[in-house]
């Protein structure tokens, strides 16, 4: 009998560029980053049991810290505005993300319902606590209808002024008396009718006089100010705004002048939305998905993000979006989420529930390059709490569980510390498993002989046998630590071997040829009383994507490589007389649905080992999601 464990992983998607033009430099820059389309992977059909609506996700996405960093450099408001308009903005905002977001948020707030003609708005953006030193700024925002084959309306944002000059001064009609003359040379910009200041002055003579009159009465020798003129013309109250800069002789003539026509309306004060500069590109993508019309594609509410450390919030949203866009539904994922610009990896449980609502729970953190789930404290080994009431009971249990160890020390703490230290050191060696568990870790030559003799492996299938790495043996120890004494005893006599790649023979007897199966992570071989487990390099296929464990905390979690060992041991436990049949009876009676995609791929052979791996690695999930299965495994474990 051959029992296989295959692993699958999702495709990770990134961001693509949407361009926004910068007015002052005329350079194109990819300030916007729209989310791409991900490959969809079908999930098993939902359970017929209303209590069983969730699966444990074992298809992993290796999240890329560089991709997350690119998301961090993109802007929520760029996505929002550039999705509706062709955008041209002043190059000033390239160097200041806070000001960029304030300006783009202002554009979004002030946009008209429809753009049928050019609309100019002078926007005053007041002092923001997020910007220090705090200062007022003013931008001219111009909305223009699409033309020339453009598929979007256009919006332009030009910086006008900063500081006191950004606050508009309302000036009256020109007072009687002398009005200063224009200097001999001056410049002007933005006037209607092809920037004709002469025609504008002829049509609205008092406005230009009012501007010159204000300059003449100003006490300062230089000026830099937004001015608004309000006049009654017949039954209409007219406003017009200008921006003037230049110099003058005190109580004398104007010596230099630049005058910009800003529009025929008074400036408007921008009320920025709360947290405008705290939103990121993931928030935009979330909003988009939450507005989907198709229920199956509509993302629900996400809770738990705000409770995470600030540097983990965007990575967490990124992870949720990756899995959701890859069709993850009604499932729990224990995801390893890298934090950009650090070696830290957040360990987050993502629960996709009814209505595609998602909860995010922080379990702990790991550091890149460190191994999750090294052999732990003997106090955490299955069976210790029930045998630790007094020293004689504890010593009797230790002798049974770890016959190769002689505890040393004068106090209970010293005894247990000595046992823990020995487990952590010796479990990196093959001899440890023979001495303590009766499990043979085969050398490549021994594995070659046993596979050929017991399981009729061909020469082609015996290539690339190798030794277990010390860290792999330590993960094997972690797996055994989570089993009860009864289950550990059932594994006596199991042989284990390591091979680079699984090799399968294809075709009829006379024309068989070998193929490498790189997706195979483990293989359980059973023939009569002979039992062997083969472990392949794909053992670590999901090691950068998943951890295994639950809300019991950091000390309860292990690396995903644990799953392969636990799954293959599950095949061995299932082979115990009557075990597989009893489990199948429970499944039929309770109409239990497979707990993972792999269990669903072959329920007859793979449901048991997948559920067994969950019972060992994340008993909290099994207890909460499949209580009938949890109780059944509790009975099996205790006997």
């Amino acid at each position: 009998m051959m029992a296989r464990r295959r692993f699958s992983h999702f495709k990770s998607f990134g961001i693509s560029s949407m361009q926004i033009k910068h007015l002052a430099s005329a350079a194109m820059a990819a300030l916007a980053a729209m989310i791409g389309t991900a490959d969809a992977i079908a999930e098993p059909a939902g359970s017929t049991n209303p209590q069983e609506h969730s699966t444990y996700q074992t298809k992993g996405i290796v999240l890329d810290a560089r991709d997350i960093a690119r998301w961090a450099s993109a802007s929520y408001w760029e996505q929002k505005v550039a999705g509706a308009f062709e955008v041209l903005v002043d190059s000033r905002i390239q160097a200041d993300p806070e000001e960029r977001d304030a300006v783009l948020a202002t554009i979004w707030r002030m946009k008209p319902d429809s753009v049928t003609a050019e609309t100019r708005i002078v926007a005053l953006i007041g002092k923001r606590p997020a910007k220090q030193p705090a200062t007022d700024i003013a931008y001219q925002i111009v909305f223009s209808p699409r033309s020339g084959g453009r598929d979007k309306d256009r919006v332009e944002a030009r910086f006008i002024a900063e500081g006191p000059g950004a606050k508009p001064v309302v000036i009256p009609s020109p007072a009687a008396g002398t009005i200063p003359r224009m200097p001999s040379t001056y410049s002007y910009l933005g006037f209607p009718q092809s920037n004709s200041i002469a025609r504008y002055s002829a049509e609205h003579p008092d406005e230009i006089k009012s501007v010159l009159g204000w300059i003449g009465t100003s006490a300062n020798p230089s000026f830099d100010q937004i001015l608004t003129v309000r006049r009654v013309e017949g039954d209409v109250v007219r406003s017009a705004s200008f921006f003037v800069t230049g110099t003058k002789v005190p109580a004398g003539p104007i010596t230099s002048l630049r005058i910009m026509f800003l529009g025929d309306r008074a400036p408007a004060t921008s009320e920025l939305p709360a947290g405008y500069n705290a939103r990121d590109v993931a928030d935009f993508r979330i909003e988009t998905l939450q507005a989907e019309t198709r229920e199956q594609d509509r993302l629900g509410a996400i809770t738990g993000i705000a409770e995470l450390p600030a540097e983990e919030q965007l990575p967490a949203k990124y992870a949720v979006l990756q899995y959701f866009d890859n069709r993850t539904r009604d499932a729990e994922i224990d995801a390893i989420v890298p934090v950009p610009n650090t070696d830290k990896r957040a360990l987050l449980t993502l629960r996709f529930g009814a209505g595609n609502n998602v909860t995010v729970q922080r379990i702990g953190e790991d550091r890149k390059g460190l191994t999750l789930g090294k052999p732990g404290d003997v106090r955490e080994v299955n069976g210790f709490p029930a045998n630790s009431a007094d020293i004689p009971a504890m010593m009797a249990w230790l002798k049974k569980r770890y016959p190769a160890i002689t505890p040393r020390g004068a106090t209970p703490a010293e005894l247990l510390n000595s046992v823990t230290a020995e487990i952590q050191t010796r479990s990196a060696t093959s001899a440890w498993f023979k001495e303590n568990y009766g499990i043979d870790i085969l050398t490549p030559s021994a594995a070659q002989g046993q596979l050929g003799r017991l399981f009729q492996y061909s020469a082609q299938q015996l290539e690339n046998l190798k030794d277990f790495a010390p860290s792999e043996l330590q993960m094997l120890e972690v797996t055994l630590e989570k089993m009860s004494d009864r289950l550990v005893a059932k594994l006596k006599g199991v042989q284990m071997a390591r091979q680079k790649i699984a090799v399968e023979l294809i075709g009829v007897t006379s024309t068989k040829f070998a193929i490498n199966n790189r997706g195979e992570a483990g293989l359980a071989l059973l023939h009569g009383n002979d039992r062997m487990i083969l472990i392949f390099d794909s053992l670590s296929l999901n090691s950068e994507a998943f951890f295994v464990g639950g809300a019991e905390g950091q000390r309860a979690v292990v690396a995903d490589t644990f799953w392969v060992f636990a799954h293959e041991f599950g095949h061995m436990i299932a082979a115990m007389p009557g075990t597989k049949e009893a489990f199948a009876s429970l499944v039929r009676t309770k109409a239990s649905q497979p707990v993972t995609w792999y269990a669903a791929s072959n329920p007859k052979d793979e449901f048991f080992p997948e559920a067994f791996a969950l019972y060992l690695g994340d008993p909290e999930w099994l207890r909460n999601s499949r209580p009938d299965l949890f109780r059944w495994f509790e009975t099996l474990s205790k006997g």
Side-chain angles (χ1 to χ4, degrees):
M1 172 183 175
M2 293 186 180
R4 303 179 183 276
R5 169 64 177 159
R6 298 177 188 270
F7 279 83
S8 227
H9 64 279
F10 282 135
K11 177 182 178 182
S12 173
F13 62 88
I15 56 177
S16 59
S17 295
M18 174 183 294
Q19 292 182 318
I20 294 179
K21 297 178 182 178
H22 290 275
L23 293 172
S25 64
M28 301 295 286
L31 291 182
M34 292 299 291
I35 309 302
T37 301
D39 291 344
I41 297 181
E43 292 297 305
S47 170
T48 56
N49 184 339
Q51 292 184 335
E52 296 186 358
H53 58 77
S54 181
T55 57
Y56 189 85
Q57 180 63 274
T58 58
K59 288 181 178 178
I61 301 172
V62 178
L63 304 174
D64 189 341
R66 294 168 300 178
D67 203 20
I68 299 173
R70 285 192 289 269
W71 282 41
S73 66
S75 162
Y76 167 91
W77 293 105
E78 288 172 349
Q79 303 305 304
K80 208 167 184 69
V81 177
F85 297 95
E86 178 185 304
V87 184
L88 294 89
V89 295
D90 200 295
S91 59
R92 169 189 167 100
I93 71 172
Q94 285 180 286
D96 191 337
E98 184 277 333
E99 186 167 317
R100 171 201 65 196
D101 288 346
V103 172
L104 293 173
T106 296
I107 289 174
W108 189 258
R109 175 183 173 274
M110 294 184 170
K111 64 181 177 63
D113 293 335
S114 61
V115 182
T116 58
E118 182 179 279
T119 303
R120 297 188 179 198
I121 301 172
V122 176
L124 172 63
I125 304 173
K127 297 176 180 177
R128 290 98 60 208
K131 177 69 173 178
Q132 294 298 326
T135 183
D136 298 314
I137 56 174
Y139 273 77
Q140 182 185 48
I141 300 171
V142 182
F143 294 96
S144 305
R146 66 196 70 185
S147 63
R150 296 200 313 263
D151 60 354
K152 294 179 180 178
D153 299 326
R154 173 178 289 175
V155 62
E156 301 179 20
R158 290 186 171 92
F159 173 76
I160 302 173
E162 181 175 22
K167 277 196 169 182
V169 172
V170 179
I171 57 178
S173 299
T178 303
I179 300 297
R181 299 168 63 91
M182 288 282 198
S184 57
T185 59
Y186 62 94
S187 62
Y188 52 93
L189 178 68
F191 284 87
Q193 299 173 311
S194 302
N195 193 30
S196 175
I197 190 172
R199 186 175 297 179
Y200 188 87
S201 297
E203 293 177 358
H204 309 286
D206 286 346
E207 291 181 9
I208 300 301
K209 290 179 181 178
S210 294
V211 169
L212 296 174
W214 178 87
I215 296 173
T217 59
S218 174
N220 296 322
S222 63
F223 47 91
D224 182 342
Q225 186 66 54
I226 295 176
L227 303 174
T228 297
V229 179
R230 286 182 181 160
R231 286 184 49 76
V232 178
E233 297 181 355
D235 295 332
V236 177
V237 178
R238 172 181 166 79
S239 293
S241 294
F242 304 84
F243 177 56
V244 293
T245 58
T247 57
K248 57 170 282 188
V249 175
I254 301 172
T255 54
S256 66
L257 173 64
R258 181 176 183 270
I259 180 169
M260 177 189 295
F261 177 70
L262 299 178
D264 54 0
R265 64 173 64 190
T269 300
S270 173
E271 297 293 337
L272 293 172
Y276 71 94
N277 65 323
R279 304 180 190 184
D280 53 50
V281 67
D283 292 318
F284 173 78
R285 178 60 177 163
I286 288 167
E287 286 182 8
T288 302
L289 288 171
Q290 288 174 335
E292 278 282 353
T293 55
R294 292 185 299 178
E295 184 176 354
Q296 67 270 29
D297 295 330
R298 187 186 311 129
L299 181 62
I302 302 176
T303 56
I305 298 290
E307 286 71 44
L308 300 177
E311 65 179 355
E312 296 178 12
Q313 292 182 13
L314 172 60
K317 289 180 280 191
Y318 173 89
V320 169
L321 290 168
Q322 293 279 357
Y323 279 101
F324 185 76
D325 273 322
N326 276 296
R327 310 304 300 170
T328 299
R329 304 290 187 271
D330 291 331
E332 177 175 309
I333 302 99
D334 289 330
I336 296 175
V337 182
V339 179
N341 305 315
T342 74
D343 65 348
K344 187 173 79 170
R345 307 187 298 178
L347 306 179
L348 304 180
T349 293
L350 314 177
R351 297 184 179 92
F352 290 76
N356 291 330
N357 292 324
V358 184
T359 60
V360 179
Q361 182 177 12
R362 189 179 194 270
I363 304 302
E365 66 181 59
D366 180 42
R367 297 283 169 177
K368 181 73 172 177
L370 299 182
T371 302
L372 281 163
K374 289 183 178 179
D377 193 315
V378 70
R379 298 167 183 85
E380 298 175 17
V381 174
N382 192 325
F384 176 82
N387 293 280
S388 59
D390 51 54
I391 291 181
M394 181 180 71
M395 294 298 289
W397 177 77
L398 286 172
K399 184 177 180 180
K400 176 183 176 183
R401 182 81 182 205
Y402 296 110
I405 291 180
T406 301
R408 296 175 176 82
T411 66
E414 290 174 347
L415 291 170
L416 294 175
N417 289 340
S418 73
V419 172
T420 294
E422 194 161 353
I423 292 172
Q424 292 177 342
T425 300
R426 294 182 59 193
S427 61
T429 66
S430 300
W432 166 260
F433 296 94
K434 180 67 173 178
E435 295 172 8
N436 280 282
Y437 304 110
I439 295 174
D440 286 318
I441 307 299
L442 301 179
T443 64
S445 59
Q448 186 178 51
Q450 292 293 74
L451 286 166
R453 183 177 66 84
L454 299 176
F455 302 103
Q456 290 74 55
Y457 264 47
S458 70
Q460 294 167 300
Q461 293 175 286
L462 295 174
E463 295 179 355
N464 297 312
L465 289 162
K466 57 195 290 190
D467 289 310
F468 281 92
S471 61
E472 294 169 347
L473 292 175
Q474 288 185 315
M475 184 55 69
L476 172 58
E477 166 62 25
V478 169
T479 308
L480 293 167
E481 287 176 4
K482 292 181 177 292
M483 296 188 201
S484 68
D485 296 345
R486 178 175 186 267
L487 293 180
V488 168
K490 299 296 181 182
L491 299 175
K492 187 175 183 179
V494 170
Q495 298 178 325
M496 300 192 69
R498 186 71 168 82
Q499 192 172 21
K500 183 177 180 179
I501 303 171
V503 180
E504 296 182 2
L505 294 181
I506 304 297
V508 297
T509 303
S510 60
T511 59
K512 283 187 176 180
F513 61 93
I515 63 169
N516 290 335
N517 185 351
R518 298 181 183 277
E520 198 81 83
L523 180 62
L525 302 172
L526 301 99
H527 183 264
N529 292 327
D530 298 316
R531 299 176 294 167
M532 184 182 290
I533 292 174
L534 270 172
I535 300 295
F536 308 104
D537 283 2
S538 292
L539 163 81
S540 59
L541 183 65
N542 276 317
S543 61
E544 295 297 309
F546 284 129
F547 67 94
V548 180
E552 296 172 358
Q554 174 82 33
R555 297 174 70 182
V557 304
V558 292
D560 185 72
T561 50
F562 157 91
W563 192 277
V564 180
F565 289 111
H567 176 98
E568 301 308 335
F569 280 134
H571 281 296
M572 299 301 170
I573 298 300
M576 292 164 46
T579 302
K580 193 172 182 179
E581 293 76 12
F583 182 78
S585 176
L586 171 75
V587 168
R588 286 193 302 271
T589 301
K590 300 297 183 179
S592 294
Q593 298 300 303
V595 291
T596 67
W597 74 271
Y598 191 62
S601 71
N602 181 5
K604 179 182 176 182
D605 293 327
E606 304 299 344
F607 193 168
F608 183 99
E610 290 286 274
F612 181 75
L614 267 170
Y615 172 71
L616 297 184
D618 200 341
E620 177 200 33
W621 185 92
L622 197 65
R623 181 172 54 244
N624 293 338
S625 300
R626 308 297 174 87
D628 294 326
L629 295 180
F630 177 81
R631 287 190 294 268
W632 190 89
F633 277 107
E634 283 281 270
T635 300
L636 176 70
S637 178
K638 295 174 181 177

